[in-house]
Amino acid sequence: MGSRHSRVSFLRNSAKQVSRYRFLTSEAVCRRNCRFPYTSVPRDRQGSSRLICSVATETVPEQVEESKMGTPKEIFLKDYKMPDYYFDTVDLKFSLGEEKTIVTSKIAVFPRVEGSSSPLVLDGKDLKLLSIRINSKDIKEDDYQLDSRHLTIKSLPSGTFTLEIETETYPQKNTSLEGLYKSSGNFCTQCEAEGFRKITFYQDRPDIMAKYTCRIEADRSLYPVLLSNGNLIEQGDLEGNKHYALWEDPFKKPCYLFALVAGQLESRDDTFVTRSGRTVALRIWTPAQDVPKTAHAMYSLKAAMKWDEDVFGLEYDLDLFNIVAVPDFNMGAMENKSLNIFNSKLVLASPETASDGDYAAILGVIGHEYFHNWTGNRVTCRDWFQLSLKEGLTVFRDQEFSSDMGSRTVKRIGDVSKLRTYQFPQDAGPMAHPVRPHSYIKMDNFYTVTVYEKGAEVVRMYKTLLGTEGFRKGMDLYFKRHDGQAVTCEDFFAAMRDANNADFANFLQWYSQAGTPVVKVASSYNAEARTFSLKFSQEVPPTPGQPVKEPMFIPVAVGLLDSTGKEISLSSVYHDGTLQYIASNGQPVYTTVLRVTKKEEEFVFSDVSERPIPSLLRGYSAPIRLETDLTDDDLYLLLAYDSDGFNRWEAGQVLARKLMLSLVADFQQNKPLVLNPKFLHGLKSILSDSSLDKEFVAKAITLPGEVEIMDIMEVADPDAAHAVRTFIKKQLANELKAELLRTVENNRSSEEYVFDHPNLARRALKNIALAYLASLEDSTCTELVLHEYKAATNMTDQFAALAAIAQNPGKARDDVLADFYSKWQDDFLVVNKWFALQAASDIPGNVENVRKLLSHPAFDLRNPNKVYSLIGGFCSSPVNFHGKDGSGYKFLGEIVTELDKINPQVASRMVSAFSRWKRFDVTRQNLAKAQLEKILSTNGLSENVFEIASKSLAA
Ligand code: B3K
Ligand code: ZN
């Protein structure tokens, strides 16, 4: 175990070499509608010891501890080496017990190079080794070496051989929820990224792909259901009230996709007939009482299967697809081959207990995990640095799926908001890393918004450049070339390029350079020449370890509007001295994609008869910060008329950001705050426009969040951001009271809950109106919101009313919160919403309430969802977490230290809230720094927390 001293000295060394390190974090993991299971709270937008013993001689360790070893080792992409040995087949046997579980593996091994004399190095953690046999013979003690991380086998036969290893593990003591563990009495596994090494000794790396069988033996009464990957080929009874099941997966897979579940579960069963006529049995497994709540998950699965056939021509490849919901899960879900394991939160839903947001998240994540069957499972990653190869691509696929199932514009707005709120701050902080990171200590710290969400933006840019057909051609070639392989981001790039004979210039920079590019555009119109020029300049800010950046390839989708807001048809554009005609197919073209590849570059539209208003970066065609010279009048015109729905919303957001920043300056100088009447008028027009999609209106009248505003301030000032946002909200509510009341009236419905676009859009609009009205704190509005709370027949409406009331301290708030708990105390997912709502409250001094909730009987630090709700929720209130007295920081510091002993992955996510401490004033900086130093001085700190905390501090 690493001593306190060795850790501190490593820290000093690492601090000195800071420019060399680029550690990643799950910093600012998003809290909404995603694979990361934070509970969604409608606020801003209203809305990972040496335990390994010699062969069967030493005693069983008292407690299974998470990896708290010596000096953390940093792993580099540039050091990737092909494995010396490959595995052909793996036969696993699990004997599941109450004290211990015995795992036997039989592996057919072959050398990469015939006659190789290299040792075989296997990963293993927190395991007790019982025996090793090669070609059915026990091996001598001198022939292998065991340390806290590896089993190294030295003398090996030449050519192919069989390796049999028997180990003992202790799932009941495994609170890290990684490897084999127990959740609510059931056994389950989580192997990605490096959890399989906690199950048995193995080459735990994704480029080792093998065919698996898995035999599970367990008590028949305690564990009636025994599941693993692939097809069930045999089952039967054993002595001593035991039974067994034998599973065979016909597809080669990396060990991170292995899964096992054993327990008391029941299933909702359905079927899906693929387009080639294969009937697939679909089963969603939960404890018996929850089966009724799996209807929406089953609907989502079938919709996803159909969509992947329709859009990508991709069919499911087995006769059985299982989903299991478990209440204790670090992430949102896991795409194990044919046995997806999900956090219950992303499976269970009923109108009474789940909100529209939950329904949408379930749709998206069920889709996401299903889509991984091709993008991640059939074609996987060569090494973990390539994570975005599967995650960025699969996020892109789930985004497109959700778009097609609902409103494309609103989905895009939500995804871009997520990018701005969570990824932009990461890209601008000490944890900034490229979409394909260069190094890591703990891979689990790299499941970030950068790898996922920015990675999805990178995939989206291929599509923007190639068009739908070209992108599909690229995908087809990718699968044709790489099915059954473990590949790299370059392989994906090459498939896109080759299928389209495309010139992607410096596009690969998107995988290697961190930081959000800042692109400035200056426009000018020449009336005489009838030309309109757009001059672009780009700068990628320095990030840790990358002080100097190269220009990026930025696809900028552009349209031009005339002074009445009408689209101008585009004919040609000069670039680099050559005139390029815009392909038209005989139809007028209103949007073209400019390829910005240099530091400075000019594009000149010809044949433009009046000064146009450019609609730039349509659909948010690249993940950049765009600075334009558009006037407020230009922006109001775009807000009113842009045919690009995303840019119409964006114009309103740019105006809101400008207004908020100027009011922040006023607030800081103690000047009175005044709302710009033009802004009010702009929002009023949107609110009153009945031709607009209601969900779009709800988004358009939502102000940018406090985190987003803090991110664009010179020095982040949470108090100013909060005061200004609250001020504007109240002013708007006051001025638009009549319209808002009408909006609530007109959008109520007593009809049965339906999750479809018109209904969820209607509820979204009504509930944002309600939140605005509640901010007024007058008796009429309080009565109205209370009425809505009582009259609500579904969780969307009920929780929205509760959240609206909870904005304001007082008896009404206390009563309704108590009522809500008493109604829902038996439903742990709803109780988590209740925790999150209170935790995220901006009520002054809320840290004390949150401390009290820590000892609430429903709270448990061992359950990640509860931690994400209460602790994660608290950190999402800038005014309280960043309270100037340091009480929020002290609270988080204490929790992280305690949590790290239980679950390092979860603790590491929580400590990420400190990462941007340098963005604040000196007082806050010192307070946050002191907490980070205290955490780092903790004896036995996990590598997970160490990586995030030390990098945050060293920045
Ligand atoms: N691939 C999993 C996440 C694995 C978690 C590693 N600690 C979920 C997903 O992105 O689909
Ligand atoms: Zn994924």
Side-chain angles (χ1 to χ4, degrees):
M1 193 181 291
S3 74
R4 177 181 172 146
H5 291 297
S6 66
R7 282 196 176 271
V8 170
S9 63
F10 176 81
L11 173 63
R12 286 201 197 103
N13 292 339
S14 74
K16 264 186 254 157
Q17 300 164 349
V18 68
S19 63
R20 222 167 42 82
Y21 293 106
R22 279 178 305 276
F23 293 107
L24 310 181
T25 174
S26 46
E27 166 186 275
V29 183
C30 88
R31 290 171 180 80
R32 303 203 56 171
N33 293 2
C34 65
R35 297 148 301 282
F36 306 109
Y38 277 89
T39 296
S40 161
V41 181
R43 37 170 308 108
D44 268 5
R45 309 200 145 262
Q46 259 87 14
S48 187
S49 90
R50 182 175 289 270
L51 294 171
I52 304 171
C53 313
S54 308
V55 180
T57 55
E58 297 190 23
T59 52
V60 176
E62 218 0 80
Q63 216 186 334
V64 175
E65 290 182 42
E66 180 49 28
S67 165
K68 288 163 187 160
M69 306 171 192
T71 308
K73 189 168 171 275
E74 193 179 7
I75 299 161
F76 293 89
L77 167 60
K78 64 176 172 44
D79 293 339
Y80 174 81
K81 282 193 192 66
M82 286 199 285
D84 290 326
Y85 294 90
Y86 286 109
F87 295 168
D88 186 22
T89 57
V90 180
D91 300 306
L92 297 170
K93 186 180 137 193
F94 288 79
S95 189
L96 301 171
E98 294 314 294
E99 295 295 319
K100 60 190 181 193
T101 285
I102 309 288
V103 182
T104 315
S105 79
K106 185 174 182 182
I107 310 172
V109 185
F110 64 96
R112 178 168 56 84
V113 178
E114 200 66 36
S116 163
S117 58
S118 310
L120 172 60
V121 183
L122 305 174
D123 304 289
K125 221 168 90 180
D126 305 345
L127 297 171
K128 182 177 176 183
L129 177 61
L130 298 179
S131 68
I132 318 174
R133 288 153 71 90
I134 287 181
N135 288 338
S136 305
K137 284 200 189 96
D138 285 341
I139 69 167
K140 298 198 293 287
E141 266 193 45
D142 291 353
D143 288 340
Y144 72 93
Q145 214 181 314
L146 195 56
D147 65 31
S148 62
R149 294 168 190 256
H150 301 110
L151 170 62
T152 305
I153 308 174
K154 291 174 287 187
S155 357
L156 294 163
S158 63
T160 301
F161 61 91
T162 306
L163 174 67
E164 287 167 90
I165 302 176
E166 200 181 3
T167 51
E168 210 172 88
T169 68
Y170 317 97
Q172 281 80 350
K173 292 175 179 163
N174 183 357
T175 58
S176 70
L177 313 186
E178 184 192 31
L180 177 66
Y181 65 95
K182 284 196 87 171
S183 170
S184 293
N186 297 331
F187 285 95
C188 71
T189 55
Q190 171 55 38
C191 295
E192 188 178 357
E194 298 181 332
F196 195 74
R197 64 188 62 186
K198 294 178 88 173
I199 293 177
T200 185
F201 292 98
Y202 200 80
Q203 292 190 101
D204 190 356
R205 45 189 289 173
D207 56 356
I208 297 294
M209 296 177 81
K211 283 190 185 166
Y212 286 63
T213 65
C214 177
R215 179 183 163 104
I216 310 166
E217 298 181 0
D219 185 278
R220 190 155 26 122
S221 322
L222 293 172
Y223 312 104
V225 174
L226 306 174
L227 303 172
S228 190
N229 318 87
N231 304 314
L232 177 64
I233 54 169
E234 213 182 292
Q235 61 186 325
D237 289 336
L238 296 169
E239 280 178 7
N241 195 39
K242 286 186 170 182
H243 69 151
Y244 76 96
L246 179 60
W247 292 83
E248 180 183 57
D249 183 352
F251 289 94
K252 287 197 303 182
K253 66 169 175 282
C255 63
Y256 82 84
L257 291 173
F258 168 80
L260 173 155
V261 171
Q264 293 179 351
L265 297 161
E266 288 195 4
S267 61
R268 171 184 294 273
D269 296 0
D270 209 327
T271 54
F272 179 84
V273 182
T274 69
R275 63 179 190 166
S276 68
R278 179 200 286 270
T279 299
V280 183
L282 309 176
R283 292 193 189 122
I284 302 184
W285 300 86
T286 68
Q289 70 273 15
D290 291 331
V291 172
K293 289 189 187 167
T294 57
H296 177 64
M298 186 61 88
Y299 157 80
S300 303
L301 175 61
K302 291 167 81 173
M305 294 177 86
K306 174 81 169 64
W307 184 88
D308 219 9
E309 292 186 348
D310 292 348
V311 176
F312 286 105
L314 297 171
E315 268 187 46
Y316 187 60
D317 51 11
L318 281 165
D319 300 332
L320 175 61
F321 190 85
N322 283 310
I323 288 176
V324 182
V326 299
D328 307 281
F329 205 70
N330 285 341
M331 301 282 288
M334 179 63 212
E335 70 265 25
N336 316 296
K337 181 81 185 186
S338 77
L339 178 52
N340 286 187
I341 300 182
F342 271 67
N343 188 318
S344 313
K345 176 179 165 51
L346 289 161
V347 174
L348 305 181
S350 70
E352 297 74 35
T353 59
S355 66
D356 286 337
D358 297 322
Y359 272 73
I362 290 169
L363 180 76
V365 181
I366 293 263
H368 179 96
E369 306 309 330
Y370 174 73
F371 301 143
H372 266 313
N373 189 51
W374 279 95
T375 52
N377 300 6
R378 291 283 291 247
V379 183
T380 195
C381 301
R382 185 194 71 173
D383 54 77
W384 287 121
F385 297 101
Q386 318 296 330
L387 182 62
S388 196
L389 172 80
K390 76 175 175 81
E391 296 302 350
L393 177 53
T394 307
V395 170
F396 169 77
R397 277 153 54 68
D398 84 54
Q399 290 175 346
E400 288 295 293
F401 169 57
S402 295
S403 294
D404 288 346
M405 303 293 289
S407 155
R408 178 159 288 269
T409 297
V410 174
K411 177 64 181 151
R412 190 69 188 130
I413 289 168
D415 292 337
V416 174
S417 292
K418 188 193 290 181
L419 195 79
R420 283 190 176 134
T421 306
Y422 303 106
Q423 199 278 328
F424 277 22
Q426 184 170 69
D427 231 358
M431 306 305 170
H433 56 277
V435 161
R436 178 169 55 190
H438 299 293
S439 72
Y440 62 81
I441 289 180
K442 282 301 289 183
M443 187 56 212
D444 298 309
N445 284 332
F446 289 67
Y447 288 74
T448 63
V449 281
T450 297
V451 168
Y452 276 66
E453 263 68 31
K454 187 174 181 180
E457 293 300 319
V458 172
V459 175
R460 187 172 294 281
M461 287 189 284
Y462 287 109
K463 191 180 171 199
T464 298
L465 291 163
L466 298 171
T468 302
E469 268 176 45
F471 185 74
R472 170 67 193 269
K473 275 199 223 159
M475 289 292 283
D476 289 351
L477 185 60
Y478 175 65
F479 294 122
K480 189 171 167 209
R481 282 183 176 171
H482 301 299
D483 187 13
Q485 295 177 4
V487 302
T488 65
C489 296
E490 278 85 1
D491 292 316
F492 185 78
F493 171 89
M496 285 290 154
R497 179 196 58 203
D498 299 349
N500 294 279
N501 202 13
D503 170 12
F504 283 138
N506 46 344
F507 190 88
L508 280 172
Q509 296 279 14
W510 282 107
Y511 294 99
S512 55
Q513 287 196 159
T516 310
V518 178
V519 178
K520 294 187 176 147
V521 195
S523 61
S524 59
Y525 180 64
N526 183 331
E528 220 169 287
R530 292 163 50 98
T531 56
F532 180 66
S533 149
L534 291 174
K535 278 193 183 142
F536 291 85
S537 64
Q538 60 162 300
E539 198 78 51
V540 188
T543 47
Q546 291 189 329
V548 181
K549 302 285 172 60
E550 296 298 318
M552 312 279 275
F553 182 167
I554 298 168
V556 181
V558 180
L560 303 177
L561 271 65
D562 71 16
S563 58
T564 68
K566 220 172 120 245
E567 297 279 329
I568 295 174
S569 136
L570 310 174
S571 55
S572 53
V573 63
Y574 280 102
H575 175 232
D576 276 348
T578 51
L579 182 66
Q580 297 167 0
Y581 289 97
I582 295 167
S584 76
N585 290 337
Q587 300 292 319
V589 176
Y590 298 118
T591 303
T592 191
V593 179
L594 305 177
R595 297 162 50 106
V596 177
T597 60
K598 302 187 191 105
K599 195 162 168 37
E600 290 183 344
E601 212 160 352
E602 183 177 16
F603 295 82
V604 182
F605 291 91
S606 56
D607 214 12
V608 184
S609 58
E610 63 171 288
R611 179 197 169 260
I613 293 92
S615 167
L616 299 158
L617 207 71
R618 283 188 152 172
Y620 198 66
S621 59
I624 59 166
R625 296 182 196 255
L626 182 70
E627 293 176 9
T628 71
D629 57 1
L630 291 170
T631 64
D632 283 5
D633 285 344
D634 293 340
L635 289 163
Y636 282 114
L637 185 117
L638 292 168
L639 174 65
Y641 299 110
D642 201 330
S643 65
D644 184 83
F646 175 84
N647 262 11
R648 200 168 169 185
W649 169 81
E650 176 72 346
Q653 294 289 297
V654 174
L655 286 161
R657 289 198 289 267
K658 282 170 84 170
L659 174 71
M660 289 169 89
L661 280 184
S662 93
L663 289 178
V664 159
D666 291 346
F667 177 86
Q668 289 168 331
Q669 293 160 37
N670 289 316
K671 288 186 184 163
L673 303 182
V674 180
L675 182 65
N676 180 345
K678 273 182 143 184
F679 184 75
L680 170 70
H681 181 77
L683 290 203
K684 186 174 174 172
S685 309
I686 295 282
L687 182 59
S688 320
D689 187 342
S690 59
S691 71
L692 290 172
D693 171 47
K694 290 181 178 179
E695 201 183 8
F696 175 81
V697 176
K699 292 281 183 201
I701 64 168
T702 303
L703 298 168
E706 289 166 24
V707 174
E708 197 180 320
I709 296 305
M710 280 163 36
D711 183 49
I712 52 175
M713 287 179 189
E714 201 99 335
V715 175
D717 181 343
D719 299 322
H722 181 65
V724 162
R725 196 170 188 276
T726 307
F727 166 77
I728 302 176
K729 233 174 93 178
K730 278 194 181 185
Q731 286 294 112
L732 289 171
N734 206 25
E735 299 283 343
L736 300 173
K737 189 170 173 181
E739 288 82 359
L740 292 166
L741 282 166
R742 216 167 25 242
T743 302
V744 173
E745 278 301 316
N746 294 343
N747 290 289
R748 281 199 189 99
S749 168
S750 53
E751 277 168 34
E752 203 181 332
Y753 175 90
V754 182
F755 178 73
D756 62 7
H757 185 70
N759 279 293
L760 69 86
R762 176 180 60 70
R763 288 187 288 266
L765 184 54
K766 174 184 75 87
N767 290 330
I768 189 156
L770 205 61
Y772 268 112
L773 288 166
S775 72
L776 289 174
E777 296 183 67
D778 68 31
S779 58
T780 333
C781 292
T782 309
E783 279 307 311
L784 171 71
V785 186
L786 272 170
H787 171 267
E788 295 301 311
Y789 173 79
K790 286 179 193 139
T793 56
N794 59 70
M795 182 51 69
T796 308
D797 289 334
Q798 190 178 73
F799 196 74
L802 175 70
I805 297 165
Q807 289 179 91
N808 313 311
K811 189 169 180 314
R813 178 190 202 262
D814 298 346
D815 288 350
V816 180
L817 280 170
D819 178 76
F820 189 84
Y821 180 74
S822 75
K823 262 195 187 96
W824 297 112
Q825 56 187 304
D826 296 327
D827 191 310
F828 65 99
L829 292 172
V830 182
V831 170
N832 285 347
K833 289 177 188 292
W834 180 80
F835 277 130
L837 179 66
Q838 294 171 83
S841 173
D842 294 324
I843 283 178
N846 194 43
V847 67
E848 285 316 315
N849 299 326
V850 178
R851 277 193 187 274
K852 277 189 208 127
L853 287 169
L854 276 181
S855 20
H856 190 282
F859 187 74
D860 186 348
L861 215 48
R862 289 168 304 185
N863 179 269
N865 288 1
K866 295 182 184 188
V867 174
Y868 299 146
S869 295
L870 192 60
I871 316 303
F874 174 71
C875 298
S876 75
S877 164
V879 276
N880 280 315
F881 175 56
H882 299 290
K884 217 157 183 168
D885 61 357
S887 57
Y889 296 160
K890 186 168 178 286
F891 171 69
L892 185 64
E894 290 165 13
I895 293 288
V896 165
T897 312
E898 203 180 331
L899 196 53
D900 193 40
K901 299 181 188 112
I902 299 167
N903 188 327
Q905 280 187 32
V906 174
S908 162
R909 285 217 212 160
M910 292 299 107
V911 81
S912 300
F914 283 121
S915 66
R916 301 221 66 206
W917 62 282
K918 285 211 169 156
R919 291 274 302 127
F920 294 83
D921 57 86
V922 179
T923 309
R924 287 183 169 97
Q925 282 190 23
N926 288 336
L927 289 162
K929 188 170 172 234
Q931 289 302 324
L932 281 168
E933 285 169 344
K934 200 169 170 197
I935 289 167
L936 279 164
S937 69
T938 309
N939 212 353
L941 193 70
S942 70
E943 291 178 327
N944 304 62
V945 169
F946 172 79
E947 181 169 28
I948 305 292
S950 62
K951 294 310 128 198
S952 296
L953 203 52

